[in-house]
Amino acid sequence: MNAKELKSKKLYKEYSLEIPYEEVDIEVDNKINQILPTVNIPGFRKGKAPLNIVKKKYEDNVLNEVIQKLIDTNTKKLIDEKKFSLFRAPKVELSNYEKNKPITINLKFDLKPEIKLKDFKDFKINKYKIELSKKAEENQLKSFIASQKNYKKIESSRQVKNTDKVIVNFGSSQEGLPEYLKSQKNFPIDLEFDEGILPNLNKELISKKVKVGDKFELEINLSKILKDDKFKKTTFNFEIMSIEEKIKFELTKEFLDKNGFEKEKDFKNFLVNNIKNQYEQGIKQIEKKELMDLLDNSYKFDLPEGVLEDDFNQIWHRLEHAKKEGNLDEDDKLLKDEDLKKRYKKISERRVKLGLLMQHIASEEKIIISEEEIKKGILDYSSQYPGQEKQIMEYFEKNPSSLDTIRAPLIEQKVIDSIISKSKTNVIKLDEHEYKKLEVKTFDIKDTKK
């Protein structure tokens, strides 16, 4: 083995490794000798054919296995010789191979950083508790009532209002349209909202002052949603089938019974608890962000350059895709590529640093995830996609490596819980206004990207 160092940084090493072909030949002979007793060659008794004849026939069959074994053996030998403490498995590239010539491979090593854990007893962590005002509780009920949309079919022949719901039939004969746009019967359109499968249709219906029974044509621009300029002027035929007007929603006994509530008070308590749960979920994210900021500021250590490069490349690939699709964040659009790279390199450094630190804490604290916790994690994940639970379960069974998407957040939460249990905590009570201010301060994108 002939090893040549190509790059050397504190936590990143790159080597070119040359393995003489003689080693390959010896290993091929060893492998052929292993299978020799089982080989049938015409003209020879089973297992009695000469080595050179068997080798000629089977060498190509065993060569890949032999080369992989030699690469693994020589890579381990180099790691032991250099006393590398690896952060992850080395990247191995077969850069050159020709028969009867040395094998050349490139090896890239990311080494473990040295991290000395601090005493978490010295950490001071805020814990927040939400206490909603009576006004906030009342507003929750008002907000629910305002969000409810009850409609009643009108019997008169009046024109539409912008609070109505209109039921239409529509169709188009233009070639190339998706099936769902070619024809729809009894399609509901809420005139209060712009969102819909046909852009700005609600505004068109209001401006035309349509009535039940009206039939008409409209040209609609579908080029943006279909990403094709040939649909810039797509003609549709419409017929107004019915118009429904919005009526006031009331908490009736029928509504309460239907939804499992005995009294109006029970329903109000349900709404209050629901919004409290939403605030508590937000509080968890705030507490996590504050803890991550504390960890980021409390630890300084070198980062493996190869891991950093991979992480940044993933981020940059997503950014380039977003730029191509016109989906960049507004503040990112203002930056030149050079400044955008600086911004996201800083973000990548924080991501990698905190990821390494959380892994290290989990290792030091011997934090593991049990099979039961994994199963529960899969069930929780699957429940987010109603109707697809079976397919998701089957996917994880067939792709065990994908379980990291379940395991990683579970380990992270256990690490967070472990740190908090050892730290000094300060309980702070918040009303909804104080919560909002804290949320804006904590997640201000411009602040976090400076």
Side-chain angles (χ1 to χ4, degrees), residues 373 375-385 410:
E373 287 172 313
K375 288 177 183 176
K376 185 179 181 302
I378 293 173
L379 287 173
D380 291 343
Y381 180 83
S382 302
S383 67
Q384 299 174 39
Y385 303 92
L410 293 176

Side-chain angles (χ1 to χ4, degrees), residues 169-185 187 196-199 201 218 220-227 231 234-238:
N169 290 347
F170 71 81
S172 175
S173 58
Q174 181 159 334
E175 292 184 4
L177 280 178
E179 287 299 321
Y180 73 96
L181 290 177
K182 286 181 180 179
S183 178
Q184 290 280 358
K185 300 290 185 183
F187 189 81
I197 62 173
L198 296 176
L201 178 57
L218 273 180
I220 297 178
N221 185 352
L222 300 176
S223 61
K224 285 188 178 179
I225 63 170
L226 298 180
K227 300 187 184 333
F231 298 112
T234 305
T235 301
F236 285 90
N237 294 304
F238 288 90

Side-chain angles (χ1 to χ4, degrees), residues 68-192:
Q68 187 60 55
K69 181 183 175 182
L70 284 169
I71 288 173
D72 292 344
T73 301
N74 283 276
T75 299
K76 186 179 183 305
K77 186 177 177 182
L78 179 63
I79 291 169
D80 294 340
E81 183 183 303
K82 301 296 181 181
K83 296 180 180 179
F84 288 156
S85 178
L86 299 183
F87 170 70
R88 61 180 180 180
K91 289 185 177 181
V92 182
E93 297 171 356
L94 182 62
S95 61
N96 185 52
Y97 170 69
E98 290 180 46
K99 198 168 183 179
N100 298 320
K101 290 187 178 180
I103 298 171
T104 306
I105 59 174
N106 280 347
L107 297 168
K108 298 176 181 179
F109 302 101
D110 287 294
L111 310 184
K112 285 182 182 177
E114 291 182 15
I115 305 174
K116 185 177 180 181
L117 288 187
K118 298 180 182 296
D119 192 340
F120 295 128
K121 290 179 182 178
D122 297 330
F123 277 29
K124 294 179 181 178
I125 295 173
N126 291 330
K127 295 288 290 178
Y128 298 100
K129 185 177 180 181
I130 191 74
E131 292 190 343
L132 296 180
S133 66
K134 288 293 181 185
K135 186 177 180 181
E137 294 180 6
E138 291 168 3
N139 286 341
Q140 179 68 357
L141 179 60
K142 289 178 182 177
S143 176
F144 171 80
I145 290 174
S147 70
Q148 297 308 295
K149 292 198 168 188
N150 281 7
Y151 294 94
K152 180 181 178 182
K153 186 175 179 180
I154 66 170
E155 301 300 332
S156 65
S157 59
R158 71 162 172 81
Q159 299 170 352
V160 290
K161 298 177 182 177
N162 59 7
T163 55
D164 288 339
K165 179 164 71 175
V166 180
I167 310 300
V168 303
N169 290 347
F170 71 81
S172 175
S173 58
Q174 181 159 334
E175 292 184 4
L177 280 178
E179 287 299 321
Y180 73 96
L181 290 177
K182 286 181 180 179
S183 178
Q184 290 280 358
K185 300 290 185 183
N186 297 314
F187 189 81
I189 299 165
D190 186 343
L191 297 185
E192 285 190 284

Side-chain angles (χ1 to χ4, degrees), residues 286-300:
I286 290 171
E287 290 173 347
K288 178 181 174 180
K289 173 67 165 54
E290 288 187 349
L291 176 58
M292 292 302 174
D293 288 344
L294 179 59
L295 291 170
D296 188 22
N297 293 327
S298 300
Y299 284 89
K300 306 292 179 188

Side-chain angles (χ1 to χ4, degrees), residues 429-445:
K429 295 179 180 179
L430 301 171
D431 62 25
E432 61 274 13
H433 301 295
E434 291 165 332
Y435 169 85
K436 192 63 183 176
K437 288 180 182 177
L438 179 63
E439 184 183 45
V440 169
K441 178 185 174 184
T442 304
F443 297 109
D444 188 327
I445 294 174

